[in-house]
Amino acid sequence: MATEKIKPQLGVQLWSVRHELNRDFSGTLKRLKAAGFNAIELATELGPYKAKPKELRSLLEQLKLKVSGAHVSITQLLPESIDATATYYQTLGAEYLIVGWDPRSWDPNGVDKLISQLRSAQSVLSKYGLKMGFHNHDKEFSTYQNTTFWDYISQSTDDNFILQLDIGWVSAAGKDPINYLKRYPGRTYTTHFKSWVPDENINNKAIIGMDLIDWPSIIEASIEVGGSQWIILEQETAPKGMKTIEALIKSKANLQQYLSSYMSTRKDIKS
């Protein structure tokens, strides 16, 4: 997946605020917009808009929020449902659909079937102008056939198939995210930036810039090698006494400082 080097757009994965969305969908989106987010990556929580893409698009246009893409289940991409799924997200102006989780991705008896379904779905989605990909957790980095399940999936899909690397989960698996960005150059069109700290460092705050991850190097590799056009911020945990959305806003502020610092040194990268 060849991509030019540009400053990635920043979005937020709505799974971060799923509980807030369940209580007040539109109000939560308004709060994210007020916090400076201009784009969202949809999750499974669609509130009252699950079957109303035109109404959801109208709300997003009012808030001036762009949809980068969405996490979907493989069930939504099977032959009997994929056209409806593609039409829904095409209506919202999404660029890509990512299968966010499937336990067969670390199952020796299921991974080949999953890959077959991913390939078939990619073929259909391309006709709608949508990119297709898969998102990792930690178990995909378990050993399989002298490599890992993640490598097996990556090598069994073509170069246009997005490998949405989740930096936090790769770190949790004890692997080096930069190594994986370099191993499959140009395939991380969208990357999940999520803080992570090991249990023995529980006093460290799980907020970008206050954790143990080398974010400046991650940013450089994502842009220079991974070809990231989207950086999607996700917040799964928060320090004690802080709401998740507050931690998300803090992570965003720190991330933007890293991004600004990097971009100030790279005049050859388009903003």
Side-chain angles (χ1 to χ4, degrees):
M1 183 181 292
T3 53
E4 64 177 333
K5 294 176 184 177
I6 65 170
K7 180 182 179 181
Q9 297 181 73
L10 179 62
V12 57
Q13 165 53 240
L14 292 190
W15 181 255
S16 308
V17 290
R18 60 194 179 279
H19 301 303
E20 291 89 343
L21 288 170
N22 282 329
R23 291 192 293 268
D24 182 0
F25 192 91
S26 61
T28 300
L29 292 184
K30 290 177 182 177
R31 187 171 182 187
L32 290 173
K33 177 64 180 182
F37 285 104
N38 295 315
I40 58 174
E41 181 183 70
L42 294 165
T44 53
E45 303 298 334
L46 296 169
Y49 301 98
K50 187 175 182 179
K52 299 177 179 180
K54 291 182 180 179
E55 289 84 346
L56 179 53
R57 177 163 186 157
S58 178
L59 172 63
L60 294 171
E61 287 177 346
Q62 291 175 27
L63 296 175
K64 296 182 179 180
L65 279 172
K66 180 178 181 180
V67 174
S68 62
H71 274 199
V72 296
S73 68
I74 194 66
T75 303
Q76 293 174 272
L77 301 178
L78 295 179
E80 62 271 21
S81 54
I82 191 168
D83 290 306
T85 299
T87 299
Y88 183 98
Y89 289 104
Q90 188 183 51
T91 301
L92 297 176
E95 295 185 17
Y96 58 80
L97 296 183
I98 304 292
V99 174
W101 180 85
D102 193 303
R104 293 175 298 171
S105 62
W106 60 82
D107 179 1
N109 298 314
V111 66
D112 285 319
K113 179 64 175 179
L114 171 62
I115 290 169
S116 176
Q117 291 174 335
L118 292 172
R119 286 172 170 171
S120 296
Q122 181 185 12
S123 178
V124 175
L125 291 179
S126 66
K127 298 174 183 177
Y128 286 88
L130 290 164
K131 300 176 179 68
M132 166 81 188
F134 195 79
H135 171 274
N136 70 276
H137 289 77
D138 55 343
K139 292 183 179 179
E140 285 88 355
F141 293 93
S142 300
T143 301
Y144 179 64
Q145 293 195 0
N146 298 316
T147 181
T148 69
F149 283 99
W150 183 252
D151 289 289
Y152 186 74
I153 292 169
S154 302
Q155 295 163 15
S156 300
T157 49
D158 66 37
D159 287 345
N160 291 315
F161 186 85
I162 297 172
L163 303 174
Q164 189 184 55
L165 204 66
D166 185 300
I167 303 303
W169 279 119
V170 179
S171 301
K175 304 293 185 180
D176 180 4
I178 294 177
N179 177 47
Y180 275 91
L181 287 163
K182 292 180 177 179
R183 188 173 296 190
Y184 303 104
R187 293 188 64 180
T188 48
Y189 184 87
T190 165
T191 309
H192 264 208
F193 277 32
K194 177 168 59 194
S195 181
W196 174 80
V197 290
D199 289 343
E200 62 267 25
N201 290 286
I202 198 64
N203 290 328
N204 286 284
K205 298 177 179 178
I207 291 176
I208 286 180
M210 303 176 75
D211 51 19
L212 304 177
I213 295 175
D214 182 2
W215 290 109
S217 296
I218 294 291
I219 288 171
E220 180 178 11
S222 296
I223 296 173
E224 296 288 338
V225 184
S228 297
Q229 309 290 287
W230 282 99
I231 288 176
I232 303 300
L233 185 59
E234 185 175 25
Q235 191 80 38
E236 290 198 19
T237 60
K240 186 176 181 180
M242 182 181 287
K243 295 180 179 178
T244 302
I245 196 166
E246 295 170 341
L248 181 65
I249 292 169
K250 180 62 176 175
S251 283
K252 175 181 176 293
N254 291 343
L255 174 57
Q256 286 187 309
Q257 287 185 355
Y258 286 134
L259 277 169
S260 296
S261 178
Y262 178 73
M263 291 302 297
S264 69
T265 68
R266 295 303 309 270
K267 302 302 182 183
D268 57 320
I269 297 178
K270 296 181 180 179
S271 296

